[in-house]
């Protein structure tokens, strides 16, 4: 078991232990950097016909992985280079950035849950074999809490529920409107973007308290 998996196992054990003793819910938090999800057609436009994405490393959510491939995201004003592709492939291409990134690109994406791309702005993706013009799909990901069915039952949380999240440290913050994503294929972890992580001076792999 690698270091990250060991750390995650410890965090989950701590979360359950604290809940049983105090009734308080503490969850591990991860900062999600800018990344791209690609559909099959855009994989081939960017990397060549028949190309298959190559796994770089597994991510915390079951079945999700970072790919070796990186692309350039081009907007009306500027570009972001070496943006990581995440797998597996999806039905629709989606680009997730922070608001700070949007200023550099000249794009003003809405805050959305992943997969909710209708009416969002598009951009140009550039890869080693070509480029893909997407008419929509650029979003700032809404902060959310992944949780398995078993964990949700233990903590009394439901899919789609909105909770508050309190950080501790020098820059204590309470995040509002954190959406619970419960179900198979989810594992206990809150995802915030890099702007939000910087706002709380996040370092390491902290845990935050869930306030219902």
């Amino acid at each position: 078991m690698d270091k990250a998996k060991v750390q995650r196992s410890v965090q989950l054990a701590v979360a359950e232990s604290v809940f049983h003793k105090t009734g308080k819910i503490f969850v591990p938090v991860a900062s999600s950097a800018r990344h791209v999800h690609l559909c099959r057609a855009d994989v081939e436009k960017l990397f060549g016909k028949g190309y298959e994405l190559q796994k770089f490393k597994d991510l915390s959510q079951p079945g999700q992985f970072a790919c070796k491939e990186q692309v350039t995201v081009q907007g009306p004003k500027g570009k972001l280079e070496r943006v990581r592709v995440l797998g597996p492939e999806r039905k629709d291409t989606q680009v997730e950035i922070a608001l700070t990134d949007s200023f550099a690109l000249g794009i003003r994406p809405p805050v959305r849950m992943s997969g909710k791309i209708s009416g969002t702005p598009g951009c140009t993706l550039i890869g080693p074999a070509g480029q893909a013009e997407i008419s929509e799909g650029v979003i700032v990901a809404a902060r959310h809490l992944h949780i398995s069915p078993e964990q949700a039952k233990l903590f009394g949380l439901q899919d789609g529920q909105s909770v508050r999240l309190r950080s501790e440290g020098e820059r204590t913050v309470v995040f509002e409107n954190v959406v619970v994503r419960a179900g198979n294929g989810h594992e206990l972890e809150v995802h915030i973007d890099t702007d939000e992580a910087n706002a709380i001076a996040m370092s390491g792999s902290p845990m935050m308290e869930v306030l219902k």
Side-chain angles (χ1 to χ4, degrees):
M1 185 177 293
D2 62 32
K3 184 177 180 180
K5 289 183 178 180
V6 170
Q7 184 180 47
R8 178 55 48 79
S9 296
V10 170
Q11 287 178 318
L12 295 179
V14 168
E16 293 188 10
S17 176
V18 169
F19 179 74
H20 286 306
K21 291 179 180 178
T22 69
K24 294 183 177 181
I25 305 171
F26 283 86
V27 295
V29 181
S31 173
S32 181
R34 65 179 79 111
H35 59 271
V36 174
H37 301 278
L38 295 174
C39 68
R40 163 74 344 216
D42 287 339
V43 169
E44 295 194 339
K45 289 178 182 177
L46 296 169
F47 299 102
K49 189 171 179 60
Y51 189 87
E52 298 293 335
L53 295 174
Q54 305 297 304
K55 182 186 292 188
F56 173 60
K57 66 176 181 179
D58 288 317
L59 300 178
S60 59
Q61 298 307 303
Q64 305 296 305
F65 56 91
C67 302
K68 295 180 180 179
E69 292 76 17
Q70 298 175 316
V71 297
T72 295
V73 179
Q74 178 75 57
K77 182 179 177 181
K79 61 185 179 181
L80 301 172
E81 298 181 317
R82 296 184 294 278
V83 179
R84 182 73 62 181
V85 176
L86 300 188
E89 295 173 8
R90 290 195 176 184
K91 176 179 176 291
D92 298 302
T93 291
Q94 178 176 290
V95 179
E96 296 183 35
I97 60 175
L99 280 175
T100 302
D101 297 325
S102 74
F103 302 142
L105 292 173
I107 298 173
R108 292 307 302 269
V111 177
R112 293 278 185 89
M113 290 298 293
S114 181
K116 306 295 184 180
I117 63 172
S118 178
T120 60
C123 67
T124 300
L125 301 177
I126 305 170
Q131 63 183 45
E133 304 284 347
I134 61 171
S135 60
E136 60 182 13
V138 183
I139 66 169
V140 174
R143 58 183 77 108
H144 54 279
L145 167 61
H146 292 282
I147 190 168
S148 72
E150 296 78 18
Q151 293 159 344
K153 182 177 180 180
L154 172 65
F155 296 136
L157 298 174
Q158 297 181 347
D159 184 53
Q161 180 180 355
S162 180
V163 298
R164 300 158 68 224
L165 192 71
R166 186 172 69 87
S167 69
E168 296 181 341
E170 292 181 309
R171 306 182 74 180
T172 298
V173 169
V174 174
F175 288 121
E176 304 279 351
N177 303 320
V178 181
V179 180
V180 176
R181 299 190 65 183
N184 295 323
H186 296 277
E187 185 58 66
L188 190 65
E189 185 173 69
V190 166
H191 286 177
I192 59 177
D193 68 23
T194 50
D195 285 349
E196 293 166 325
N198 288 334
I200 62 173
M202 179 173 159
S203 63
S205 300
M207 297 185 74
M208 294 185 184
E209 184 180 2
V210 174
L211 308 173
K212 295 186 181 180

